[in-house]
Amino acid sequence: MNMRSDGFKVFLGVLGGMVAIVVFGLLLSYAPELARAPVPTPTPGGVAISRYRTISNATLTDHDNRPMSLGALRGKPTLIAFGYTFCPDVCPLTMADLRRVKRELGEAGDRVNFVFITVDPQRDTPEVIRRYVKAFDPAFIGLTGDEATLKKLIYEFDGLFEKQPPQSGNPNSYIVAHTSFIYLLDAQGQWRMKYSFGTPVEVIARDVQAMLQESARRG
Amino acid sequence: MIKKMLFAAVAGLTLVACAAPATPAQNSAGQSDISIRDAWAHPTMGMVAAHEGHAHGSHGSSDKADAAQSSVNSAAYMVIENKGNAPDKLLSVSGDIADMIQVHQTREKDGMMVMEEIADGLEIPANGNVELRPASYHIMLMGVKRDLKPGDTFKLTLNFQSGKVIPVDVTVREP
Ligand SMILES: [Cu+2]
């Protein structure tokens, strides 16, 4: 290798670099468009429960501090969401989705139970739950119970929750980790569908609508 | 030889990058340029007044006096955009709307949703943005002091690693 060819290669390298920067610059000028293009979010549908499960007839406490068995919900399709009022992020979204499902259903929404079950019985007293669910819709039902009963119940839906150690000095500022789905039960109390967080409300409303027609056909 | 060519290519790139005023904006190299848009927060739906009433009512009565009290919480979301050519970090958020304000991330853990404080700051990349949105990054408002109704606004102050302090008007609305 002599100096000249080395020098030529360096020249080629610099030239290459310049070409690269021009190409890069051109790409960059399109980049804002690319960056702003909405990320195609998956639109998850519901998951059908292959073998319908009859949910146990656990006795819980409703938002008026009265005992209420889950069996009392039978006779209407029922949408259930587990959550807790301290949760500021996912839970209000789920509750707002339930409200939108009800709006979507219109009058038929009155023939459906909308149920919030707390995973935080320690802080979510019936009074707190009542204020919470009624703020979303006056017809919504809120339920609590002792922790063991609630854990068993969410387990029936293949779910779970787990109180986390408090993050700050305040022992009341703990988080409760929990699975976050909306469940659809039929009028016989059988668990039929499961919807992950973010499922479009139209999808849920359509399934509920179909279920209402199904029970109408049964008479 | 290939090494030499690569080196020269990098040198060429650097030369061009330095020579050309790549960014038309007048920020000097290594500065973030932060702006905020679409800031909103969940309503608290009459919970705050109820909560306070309850707290006052339970004063003096020893039954369940030390029962755990749930604070009323909300979360704020927004898009944080950085048009500068240096990354920055959202270190903390302050405001008088809540007792405690933290930058949080909701994530999945063993199939469950949990949220945690982002203790070492939320990175905002150079020439990029970070969207705070439900089930992801959010500004957690713990112990909201007044009821937040749709249409209400409140102020937050975002404190960045660069020293930038950015006030934000947050609008309360249904998600
Ligand atoms: Cu949070």
Side-chain angles (χ1 to χ4, degrees), chain A residues 6 9-10 13 17 21 86 88-89 93 96 99 122-123 131-132 135-136 160 164 167 172 175 177-179 197, chain B residues 1 4 9 13 16 42 45 50 68-71 73-74 77 106 109 111 113-116 134-135 138 140 174-175:
Chain A
D6 259 17
K9 289 203 163 110
V10 168
I21 202 65
F86 187 90
D89 183 41
L93 258 293
R99 172 172 56 196
Q122 197 181 331
R123 287 178 301 196
R131 301 268 176 187
Y132 186 70
F136 285 100
L160 66 163
Q164 307 292 300
Q167 296 186 313
N172 281 343
I175 301 300
H178 63 99
T179 44
F197 177 78
Chain B
M1 191 49 56
K4 224 171 214 168
L13 272 171
V16 173
H42 288 293
M45 316 163 298
Q69 279 281 303
S70 190
S71 66
N73 300 341
S74 180
Y77 309 92
T106 296
K109 179 189 167 197
M113 298 277 205
V114 282
M115 60 181 175
E116 288 164 346
H138 59 274
M140 170 95 173
E174 287 183 7

Side-chain angles (χ1 to χ4, degrees), chain B residues 141-172:
Chain B
L141 312 171
M142 273 177 281
V144 174
K145 289 179 186 165
R146 62 182 169 88
D147 209 27
L148 301 175
K149 289 179 285 295
D152 289 356
T153 60
F154 62 89
K155 285 191 190 308
L156 290 177
T157 305
L158 275 55
N159 307 300
F160 289 86
Q161 192 173 45
S162 59
K164 292 187 169 67
V165 173
I166 301 192
V168 180
D169 284 308
V170 183
T171 303
V172 180

Side-chain angles (χ1 to χ4, degrees), chain A residues 1 5-6 9-14 16-18 20-21 24 35-36 84-90 92-93 96 99-100 103 120 122-125 127-128 131-133 135-136 160-162 164 167-168 170 172-181 197, chain B residues 1 4-5 8-13 15-17 37 40 42 44-47 50-51 54 64 67-75 77 81 100 102 104-106 109-117 129 133-138 140-142 174-175:
Chain A
M1 296 289 147
S5 85
D6 259 17
K9 289 203 163 110
V10 168
F11 168 75
L12 270 185
V14 172
M18 294 205 167
I21 202 65
F24 185 65
R36 242 168 260 139
Y84 62 120
T85 70
F86 187 90
C87 162
D89 183 41
V90 170
L93 258 293
R99 172 172 56 196
R100 283 165 60 216
R103 284 178 188 161
D120 183 15
Q122 197 181 331
R123 287 178 301 196
D124 283 347
T125 61
E127 169 67 9
V128 169
R131 301 268 176 187
Y132 186 70
V133 295
F136 285 100
L160 66 163
F161 65 85
E162 202 64 67
Q164 307 292 300
Q167 296 186 313
S168 65
N170 182 353
N172 281 343
S173 71
Y174 60 88
I175 301 300
V176 184
H178 63 99
T179 44
S180 193
F181 296 93
F197 177 78
Chain B
M1 191 49 56
K4 224 171 214 168
M5 276 184 73
V10 170
L13 272 171
L15 256 173
V16 173
R37 58 184 157 86
W40 68 280
H42 288 293
T44 55
M45 316 163 298
M47 297 271 295
H51 189 71
H54 187 79
K64 283 193 164 189
Q69 279 281 303
S70 190
S71 66
V72 175
N73 300 341
S74 180
Y77 309 92
E81 192 163 19
M100 184 156 44
Q102 292 176 342
H104 272 207
Q105 180 178 24
T106 296
K109 179 189 167 197
D110 307 327
M112 296 181 284
M113 298 277 205
V114 282
M115 60 181 175
E116 288 164 346
E117 186 180 10
N129 62 55
R133 59 181 157 81
S136 176
Y137 301 120
H138 59 274
M140 170 95 173
L141 312 171
M142 273 177 281
E174 287 183 7

Side-chain angles (χ1 to χ4, degrees), chain A residues 146-174:
Chain A
D146 63 82
E147 192 171 309
T149 305
L150 294 170
K151 282 211 154 151
K152 247 169 74 184
L153 184 61
I154 201 170
Y155 192 69
E156 289 188 49
F157 291 99
D158 298 338
L160 66 163
F161 65 85
E162 202 64 67
K163 190 176 152 182
Q164 307 292 300
Q167 296 186 313
S168 65
N170 182 353
N172 281 343
S173 71
Y174 60 88

